[in-house]
Amino acid sequence: MKPRAFAPEKLDLAAFIHDGASLEGEWPAASLERLADSAAPEAPAKDWPAVRWSLLGETRQPKGGKAQAWLRVTADAQVSLTCQRCLKPVEEQLDVERWIRFVDTEAEAAALDADSDDDVLALPRHLDARELIEDELLLALPLVPRHEVCPEPLPQAVGDEPAADEEAERPNPFAALAALKRGGSA
């Protein structure tokens, strides 16, 4: 029998998992519009490397229970976001590896998801794998993107504390108080 062909944009998830099938590929980062919207203005998503991804369907048979449908999702992407310190582009590597369990109904998914560390979803008739992978990459984005060490010194805002050399020139008010306490002059 000829193996089935699966399309990631309209994936028959039940058949994919039943067959223990796998898919992998690459998409231009700019084609994932919601992810591309997070780009730093100076580093648009069209200049990012391609997003690599893979899917693996698996049926698990626990002892004394009914078969479970699982999907392994992996993806990696390199994105350029805006550093929240210096406002320059910062490259971030996103690596996703997640197992998702699929069950028959939304109610069953909600009940199992509340009691489990695993992600549990209701089994859809067709799944848009591109959308699922983009969701996982969005969840992997850092909350506050920033460089370990910014490439340029941070600008000092008006009214900020003076630099250390300026502080050294200013007399210490407590030195004058100490001199008065010793009986000397300030």
Side-chain angles (χ1 to χ4, degrees):
M1 185 166 118
K2 186 172 135 183
R4 295 183 228 202
F6 294 101
E9 289 80 10
K10 193 173 181 182
L11 187 61
D12 181 348
L13 196 54
F16 184 81
I17 291 171
H18 178 268
D19 290 359
S22 64
L23 282 174
E24 62 182 37
E26 291 185 351
W27 292 315
S31 71
L32 303 175
E33 293 176 9
R34 293 176 296 145
L35 184 64
D37 285 345
S38 67
E42 305 88 350
K46 67 178 179 57
D47 298 334
W48 297 353
V51 173
R52 291 189 309 272
W53 58 272
S54 68
L55 301 172
L56 173 67
E58 182 177 296
T59 302
R60 297 180 187 171
Q61 185 67 51
K63 291 183 181 179
K66 74 175 200 173
Q68 299 175 350
W70 289 84
L71 180 69
R72 179 176 179 243
V73 179
T74 61
D76 64 83
Q78 185 175 326
V79 299
S80 293
L81 308 172
T82 301
C83 173
Q84 297 302 298
R85 285 189 202 137
C86 68
L87 304 178
K88 302 286 183 204
V90 58
E91 287 187 2
E92 296 282 353
Q93 180 65 38
L94 305 178
D95 295 306
V96 172
E97 181 176 347
R98 175 136 324 140
W99 281 96
I100 302 171
R101 180 177 172 196
F102 288 90
V103 295
D104 295 329
T105 65
E106 289 286 342
E108 186 180 359
L112 288 172
D113 197 35
D115 297 334
S116 174
D117 291 337
D118 298 315
D119 292 323
V120 182
L121 299 174
L123 185 67
R125 174 75 179 116
H126 293 288
L127 174 78
D128 184 345
R130 180 185 298 261
E131 195 173 290
L132 176 67
I133 290 166
E134 185 175 22
D135 287 346
E136 295 299 331
L137 289 169
L138 288 168
L139 289 170
L141 287 173
L143 292 177
V144 181
R146 61 180 181 247
H147 295 99
E148 288 295 322
V149 176
C150 289
E152 297 175 16
L154 298 177
Q156 194 169 5
V158 176
D160 275 357
E161 292 295 316
D165 55 338
E166 292 174 14
E167 275 188 34
E169 295 172 12
R170 201 170 10 146
N172 183 342
F174 295 106
L177 181 61
L180 286 172
K181 198 171 177 184
R182 285 192 302 266
S185 64

